[in-house]
Every structure is written in C-alpha cells, then in structure tokens.
Amino acid sequence: MVSLSLTSPPLKQTIPSIDTITLDIDGMKCSGCVKSVEKQIRQHQGIICANVNLMTSVALVEYQVGVVELETIAQKLTNLGFPTQVRLKDETQENQKLIIHQKRLSAKKNQQYLLISAAFLLLFSTIGHLHHLGLHPWHWLTNIWFHWGLATASLLIPGKEILLNGWQGLWQRKPNMNSLVGIGAICAYIASCIALIFPELGWECFFDEPVMLLGFIFLGKVLESTARNKAVDSLEALLSLRPQFARLVGKINSNQDQGLQIPALQVKPMEWVRVLSGEQFPVDGIIIEGETTIDESLLTGESLPTFKSVGEKVCAGTINHGNMVIVEAVTDGKNTLLSQIIATVEAAQTRKPPVQKFADTVSSYFTYFIIAMAFFTFSFWYFWGTQIWSNIVIEFDTTKIILSLKLAINVLVIACPCALGLATPTAILVGTTLGAENGLLIKGGDVLEQVKNLKTIVFDKTGTLTQGYLEITDIFSYYPDKFSEDKILQIAASLEIVANHPLAETILKKAQKLHLEILDNQNLENCHGKGVKGIITPFIDCFYLGNQSWLMENNIMVNDVTVNQVKSLQTQGKTVIYLAQNTTIIGFIALGDTLRQDAKQTIDTLEKMGLEVIMMSGDQPETATYIAQQLAIKTYYGSVTPQGKSALIKQIQQENPDKIVAMIGDGVNDAPAMTTAQFSIAMTNGAQVAIKTAGIILTRGKLSDVITAIHLSQITAL
C-alpha cells in the first residue's frame, strides 16, 4: 500500500500597509494625561506606535491600514474626558489655517478667562487674609459667610473643570495632577464647612485656602498656555509659505489657454500649470515650456538665483524671477517638497526625547505616590505627631485633626507641578531679562537649562555664517589704463539697467554707492539667465556682460588664463560675469556671499570652550569646503537637503544620546533641523518659521551673541 501525502499550497497572506495619522486631542493637563492617552491608543490592535505631545495637543499615530478604526479610538478618548478629532489628510490649506486660527482664538479666550479668574480669586483671597495682620478695610469682607460663598462659587464656576477632570481621572483609575488639586481643595472646603456648621467642635475655617490654590493654579495655566501657542505659531508660519492657488492649463494650445485657477493642493500629477514672473511655483514639477531664473533660497539656502530651462525640475514654494513658464506636476499638491518640510516640522514637534518619555512614565505613578504620601502625613500627625510634639497644637491654636488635614493638603498642593511651574519662570526672570539687554530673545527657562549642557553646535552656512546676500568681491580689468575697476563697474551697471535679477541689483547698488553715473546706451538686449548686450554711447562699441556660454554664443572666446583665474574664484562659491568689448574680454566681476565679520572669532571661541562645531549647507560641496576652510571647521557637509539636515541632526543624537545638539539657522530650509535639535537659535533677519521655531533669537544679528547665551546659561544655572 502506498500512502500519499497531499499538501495544499500555503495561503497567500496580505501584509497590511502602514500609515500615520494625526489626532487633535483636548483636555490634557499634565504629563500624566499624556501617558494615559498614549496607553489608551496603544492598547488597540493594529497600533504600531503613538507619540502624544502636551504642548501642541497633538498625537502622531502609526497604524496598520484596515485593522484600526481611528474614529473608534477618537470616540473612546472623548468618552474618557479627552475630546479627540481625527485630522483628515486631504484637508485644504484654508481648512488647516482655519483649524489653527480657531485653536488660536480658543486659546486666547481661555487665556483671558484664566487670567481674569486668577486675578479675581487671588485678590479676594488676599483681602480675606488681611485680618490676620490686624487690617479691616471693609467689615463685610471679614464675614465668614462671605468667604464660604466665595469658596463655593470658586469651586463650582472656575474650578468646575479642574474638579471634574480630576474626578474623571480617579474614576478611570488614571489620576492626574488635577486629581491632586481637586482632593486638596475639596478636603479644605469640606473641613471648613464642618467647622462652620458645628462650631462646638472648635475646628478652624480656612475657606480662603482653596480659593488661593485655584488662583495660583489658573495663573500657572496661563503661563503653560503661552508656551503651547509657540508650537502653533511655528506651524502657521510654515503654512503661510505654501502657495495657495495654481493656474491649470490644457496640454493643447497651452499658450492660448487662459487657465483655470484651483487650490494648489488639488493639482494632480501630469497636469500642467502656468507660472508667471514673480509668482511662487505651486507644485513640484518639470519645466515643459520656457526658461527662467528661480529663487530657491526658500529650500536650499542658496543666495544666488538658478537658471532653469525645459526639462529641469522646480519645487513648490520657490519664486519665478524671470519669464513665464509652464510646468508639468510630478507629484500632487499635498506631497511637494515644501509640504514634506511642513510635515517634518510637525512630526518633530510631536516626537519626544528619551528624557521626556522617562518623565512621562514616572508621572503616571507620581499621582498615586503623592496621594499615598498625603494619607501617610495625615495619619502620622493625627495619631503620633501631635502626641510627640504636643505643644504644636497649642502654639498654632488649632485642633489635631485640622493640623493633620492642613499638612496633608499641603503635600497635595506642593506636589502639583502647576505650583512648581510658577517658581521656574520667577527664577529664570533675571536670566531672560539680562539676555534681552544683550541682544538675546530667550523663549523660556528650559532653553537656558539646555544651553548649559550644550555639546555640539550645528551651523547653517548661508545667512548664518555668511551675510546671506550678494556682494561684489572682485573686479578685474585686463586693460587698467583704459578701463579702471570703477569704469568696468560703470559699464556693467549701464548694461544691467534693463535686467531684473539679484546680480543686476547688486551691481547697480554698488555703482550707486560709489556715485557712478549710468552711461548713455542703445539697443540693450537682455537674455534671461545668460547676460545682456548693448551699445555704450561714449565708446560707440557693443559691450557684452554675462557668463561664459553667453560670450561663446556671441563668438567671443575665453582664453585659458582667464578660465583658470575664474575657476579659483568659483571654487570659493563666487559667481563670475565677464565684460567684453566687441570681441575682446576686458575684465570680469565676481560676486559672492561674504562671511560675517564675527564668524571666525565666534567659531574659534566655541571650539576653545570644548564644543564640537559642524557646518551644513545646501550649496555645492566646493562652496561648503571653501567656507569651512576659511573658518577652520573640521566637520562640514554640502548639498544637503532640508530633510537631509534633519537626518544629520538625528544621526548625531543617536550616536550619543546624552549629547545636547543645537542648530543655528535662518531659513525655511533649516526649520526641520532646528525643530529636530534639542533647541535652536535663529538670526533676527531670518525667515519667520525659523524665528518661530527657535528657542533663542539673536536680535542684534551678531553671531558672537551665541557665546553670550552660553555664558548667561552657565551663570543662571549656578
């Protein structure tokens, strides 16, 4: 007998795709709330990871598509006291701005409410304590029933949210900081009510204590709300840079098509859009028709405009400085490079460093520990403490139960981070004030604390180590007797009068500064991205000003000696434009982005302080090498994209988790790296998103103020 074993082919398993989604979560008050929300999200099947950020009230969730019902998670969090909404990925830019605007208005109203409540409660609770000093400004303010009414109203109206949130945390067995505040306030209120109703007990009424407690808690929340708004400002600044509309044209007779204006986010791949001079490119794409010069400093930091022609790639957010062009979109409007930068910044705001994750874990058990400590304090003083130190009850004219209760309440109140949070801004006030006087806008005490532990500083090149704008660095004349350097500049300015690009503007400004008059000219012609030509009347000759290819197109040859001279300048990151008379080159002008005056001294001082200095740039590697050599920077990177800068920061942090890394930049292309670093510093003349992202702003534009910030941090921390 033969036995046959038949095996069926294995079933083909489909692996669920992985995606990320953003949840907007309200109602979080402390790190304990963050840990509770993260735990609730992660316990669902299909959730890979979840990072919740208290400051931005946002959760970034990585999940398996088709396995998780995100609306169910949002509803469950809402039921637990954390109102949650799923942020749709296909939201238009206007909807995103509307959401941020609504958040800002809501936060502003909440701030005003909290501030008024805090001022009202602190004022009346202070007046209520004046009788202890022998002062009786108004007799009715010393009436015990007035204080009972004030305490009752305080707990039921402004304190209602805190009490409900604290009770909800206890009921769900996830107590938070509001639970501590609520227990302390309610215990004080109930004990005072018993003392008021049963005076024969001899207990003391202290209705002013819960009132003052709520007042200080509200004041702390105002400071906390101010910090939260900074993250919203950073994201709003980025969103404002993204083009809103695109001019869609047909692929047949595109030049005759007037175009249809649609939201830029709705452009699909393979569609054609027309971009006029002075407009932003709405999508990432390829030029199909036309040629132009483009300002790409938004993304690359490169100060010089780039010439682009048919077949070359352009990026959304960059500016068309030249002719009208038609571009074919290579991605949809939601997946452009600029949109990726925005997503990178938002994700970096949500991610938490290891230290913060550890703090969140500790805080989840902190509330239980404090409640236990309060019970222990009450029990110790009620059963043993008042017997060991029996004179304390007599000295403070109270009973042992009231004394024990007060001490237990003190444990609950002092343990609350809101009370501790008030001490930190006060202690740091002197440091931030001194910083403002010395050209430093410091956005928080935590920034100063991080500066003290700084190990590595990463500099952007353009606009940070350099001035960020073009200057004429060299003027060379092959016939100095006939054409002096001023004459070369004067002729160039007379030709560039018809051009409209940064090189022309720099030449004209330099000529104006030297009081050089514009010479009479005729038949001026401007070829975008190449050069200009025309007749200068005093010489009655045709002059050509432009790059090497422009001269060769006009049958003007450049000899090897000139080529070698120019190459040495180009390796320094300079742009060279030639000036020719008829068919003879008579000289050239070099333009470049020059170093800040204090850059070399600042780098040398930082290295002497034992700090590691790194430079990153979106410019060509040759330019980055030249600048790094000028400043004696050993570690540097060129041709780095915005995402690449952020990745380099992450790599440095991963190689040494204890290393505090700072990023100093000024442009939109620096924003992802500035957000990824533990803290960042921005130049005052930088892009708004860089300023919003930075923890320190150098208001005087002096790079040496970085050293001042480090010294100030060291002094403040003593």
Side-chain angles (χ1 to χ4, degrees):
M1 181 179 289
V2 179
S3 176
L4 297 177
S5 176
L6 299 177
T7 58
S8 60
L11 295 175
K12 186 178 181 180
Q13 295 182 346
T14 59
I15 301 175
S17 60
I18 297 174
D19 200 358
T20 57
I21 196 69
T22 302
L23 304 178
D24 291 309
I25 305 174
D26 293 328
M28 294 186 295
K29 308 298 181 183
C30 60
S31 297
C33 297
V34 170
K35 192 65 180 179
S36 177
V37 169
E38 286 183 346
K39 185 177 180 180
Q40 286 294 326
I41 297 175
R42 289 171 180 167
Q43 70 182 8
H44 288 79
Q45 183 180 1
I47 296 295
I48 298 173
C49 68
N51 287 313
V52 180
N53 188 288
L54 176 64
M55 304 307 292
T56 57
S57 299
V58 162
L60 191 66
V61 181
E62 189 173 352
Y63 68 101
Q64 294 178 342
V65 179
V67 179
V68 182
E69 290 291 339
L70 295 171
E71 293 294 344
T72 302
I73 297 177
Q75 186 59 47
K76 186 171 182 180
L77 289 174
T78 301
N79 295 338
L80 291 174
F82 304 104
T84 303
Q85 288 184 342
V86 179
R87 185 180 296 181
L88 300 178
K89 282 195 168 185
D90 57 351
E91 284 177 340
T92 64
Q93 182 175 350
E94 288 303 315
N95 285 341
Q96 287 180 301
K97 287 186 176 181
L98 180 60
I99 291 172
I100 291 177
H101 182 64
Q102 289 174 342
K103 279 189 174 183
R104 186 185 299 279
L105 288 179
S106 177
K108 187 175 181 180
K109 290 180 180 178
N110 189 47
Q111 267 188 318
Q112 293 173 345
Y113 170 75
L114 291 173
L115 189 59
I116 293 173
S117 299
F120 177 82
L121 296 176
L122 291 175
L123 173 65
F124 279 97
S125 60
T126 301
I127 293 175
H129 283 84
L130 291 179
H131 68 279
H132 294 297
L133 303 176
L135 302 176
H136 302 279
W138 297 284
H139 180 72
W140 59 275
L141 288 176
T142 62
N143 188 288
I144 191 63
W145 288 103
F146 169 77
H147 293 291
W148 170 82
L150 180 62
T152 304
S154 301
L155 292 172
L156 292 179
I157 302 175
K160 178 182 177 181
E161 182 182 354
I162 291 178
L163 297 179
L164 289 177
N165 183 266
W167 168 250
Q168 199 166 28
L170 287 172
W171 182 258
Q172 300 289 340
R173 290 183 295 179
K174 297 178 179 64
N176 51 44
M177 299 309 162
N178 283 342
S179 302
L180 297 180
V181 176
I183 292 173
I186 290 296
C187 287
Y189 178 77
I190 292 175
S192 299
C193 286
I194 294 174
L196 179 62
I197 298 172
F198 305 103
E200 62 273 11
L201 294 175
W203 290 10
E204 177 187 353
C205 289
F206 42 97
F207 286 113
D208 292 322
E209 274 64 15
V211 175
M212 183 168 285
L213 170 60
L214 290 175
F216 277 111
I217 294 301
F218 289 147
L219 188 58
K221 288 183 179 295
V222 171
L223 300 178
E224 177 189 335
S225 178
T226 302
R228 290 190 182 191
N229 289 337
K230 293 177 184 177
V232 178
D233 290 341
S234 175
L235 185 57
E236 187 177 35
L238 272 175
L239 286 173
S240 65
L241 296 173
R242 188 159 57 186
Q244 295 187 24
F245 298 100
R247 192 175 289 101
L248 203 63
V249 296
K251 295 184 179 181
I252 301 176
N253 297 326
S254 58
N255 289 325
Q256 299 177 7
D257 187 358
Q258 293 183 353
L260 176 66
Q261 198 173 63
I262 66 171
L265 293 178
Q266 296 180 9
V267 176
K268 297 179 180 179
M270 308 298 290
E271 290 184 329
W272 286 13
V273 295
R274 179 186 291 128
V275 184
L276 304 179
S277 178
E279 291 183 341
Q280 283 184 301
F281 285 90
V283 292
D284 293 351
I286 303 294
I287 295 180
I288 299 300
E289 296 180 14
E291 55 183 29
T292 185
T293 53
I294 301 175
D295 179 2
E296 296 183 312
S297 60
L298 176 76
L299 300 177
T300 65
E302 172 61 63
S303 55
L304 294 172
T306 305
F307 177 73
K308 300 277 187 177
S309 58
V310 173
E312 294 190 87
K313 186 177 180 180
V314 295
C315 294
T318 57
I319 301 173
N320 181 12
H321 268 322
N323 302 318
M324 181 272 293
V325 292
I326 293 178
V327 175
E328 182 179 81
V330 295
T331 63
D332 57 42
K334 299 187 291 293
N335 294 310
T336 63
L337 180 60
L338 183 58
S339 296
Q340 292 172 22
I341 293 177
I342 294 173
T344 302
V345 172
E346 190 172 15
Q349 287 178 341
T350 307
R351 285 193 307 270
K352 290 177 286 189
V355 174
Q356 185 178 346
K357 292 181 179 179
F358 175 75
D360 288 347
T361 302
V362 171
S363 67
S364 62
Y365 303 101
F366 178 73
T367 307
Y368 290 111
F369 174 75
I370 294 302
I371 293 175
M373 283 296 298
F375 275 114
F376 173 78
T377 301
F378 177 86
S379 301
F380 173 81
W381 282 99
Y382 185 78
F383 293 107
W384 299 288
T386 51
Q387 297 178 11
I388 298 173
W389 297 283
S390 56
N391 61 321
I392 291 180
V393 175
I394 300 173
E395 183 179 345
F396 287 94
D397 189 24
T398 185
T399 62
K400 68 176 185 177
I401 188 172
I402 291 297
L403 177 64
S404 303
L405 186 61
K406 276 190 172 183
L407 293 174
I409 291 172
N410 286 342
V411 172
L412 294 172
V413 174
I414 293 173
C416 178
C418 298
L420 181 62
L422 287 172
T424 304
T426 304
I428 215 72
L429 179 62
V430 175
T432 53
T433 302
L434 287 175
E437 293 174 355
N438 288 276
L440 299 168
L441 177 57
I442 303 170
K443 294 186 177 180
D446 57 326
V447 175
L448 276 180
E449 183 180 356
Q450 290 174 318
V451 174
K452 175 176 65 70
N453 301 315
L454 183 61
K455 299 297 181 184
T456 301
I457 297 184
V458 182
F459 285 90
D460 170 55
K461 180 188 77 69
T462 306
T464 305
L465 293 172
T466 65
Q467 298 288 356
Y469 53 83
L470 291 175
E471 288 185 348
I472 293 177
T473 59
D474 304 272
I475 300 178
F476 185 85
S477 173
Y478 288 105
Y479 306 96
D481 294 336
K482 184 177 180 181
F483 297 102
S484 64
E485 290 184 3
D486 283 354
K487 183 59 70 175
I488 293 286
L489 179 62
Q490 187 178 28
I491 295 173
S494 302
L495 293 170
E496 292 283 24
I497 196 71
V498 296
N500 181 24
H501 55 77
L503 296 177
E505 293 175 2
T506 302
I507 291 173
L508 289 168
K509 285 181 181 178
K510 183 67 173 180
Q512 185 179 12
K513 184 177 180 180
L514 297 177
H515 305 289
L516 301 177
E517 295 182 1
I518 299 299
L519 301 174
D520 293 337
N521 49 67
Q522 298 176 9
N523 303 327
L524 294 182
E525 295 182 18
N526 178 27
C527 183
H528 286 288
K530 296 182 179 181
V532 293
K533 67 178 181 179
I535 297 174
I536 303 298
T537 303
F539 300 96
I540 319 178
D541 288 322
C542 187
F543 285 84
Y544 299 83
L545 181 72
N547 56 32
Q548 184 175 348
S549 62
W550 169 243
L551 297 184
M552 295 178 65
E553 285 182 17
N554 288 276
N555 300 318
I556 302 172
M557 302 306 296
V558 183
N559 58 46
D560 293 340
V561 175
T562 303
V563 169
N564 291 332
Q565 284 180 308
V566 169
K567 275 187 177 179
S568 65
L569 294 171
Q570 290 175 334
T571 57
Q572 301 173 21
K574 297 178 182 180
T575 298
V576 177
I577 52 177
Y578 299 87
L579 179 63
Q581 181 184 29
N582 295 325
T583 59
T584 304
I585 296 176
I586 61 175
F588 59 78
I589 299 174
L591 303 93
D593 187 7
T594 58
L595 288 172
R596 290 182 181 270
Q597 293 181 353
D598 55 351
K600 184 67 170 67
Q601 181 181 357
T602 300
I603 298 299
D604 291 343
T605 304
L606 291 173
E607 290 183 339
K608 288 178 182 178
M609 295 169 64
L611 298 175
E612 180 186 14
V613 177
I614 298 174
M615 186 190 79
M616 295 191 298
S617 174
D619 282 351
Q620 297 299 318
E622 295 81 6
T623 304
T625 300
Y626 175 76
I627 295 297
Q629 290 174 347
Q630 292 290 102
L631 297 173
I633 297 177
K634 301 178 183 64
T635 306
Y636 57 89
Y637 303 89
S639 296
V640 187
T641 64
Q643 287 82 1
K645 291 182 179 180
S646 179
L648 279 172
I649 295 289
K650 291 179 190 175
Q651 181 180 337
I652 296 170
Q653 293 169 334
Q654 290 171 357
E655 290 173 354
N656 191 345
D658 297 328
K659 183 180 291 184
I660 300 296
V661 181
M663 174 69 190
I664 305 180
D666 74 314
V668 175
N669 58 311
D670 303 322
M674 292 174 72
T675 310
T676 303
Q678 276 89 340
F679 75 95
S680 54
I681 301 174
M683 310 301 292
T684 187
N685 57 346
Q688 282 299 310
V689 63
I691 293 174
K692 297 287 186 183
T693 302
I696 298 177
I697 300 171
L698 308 183
T699 57
R700 297 188 299 192
K702 294 174 61 177
L703 206 59
S704 58
D705 285 340
V706 173
I707 300 169
T708 305
I710 296 174
H711 289 158
L712 182 61
S713 172
Q714 293 170 343
I715 295 172
T716 305
L718 293 178

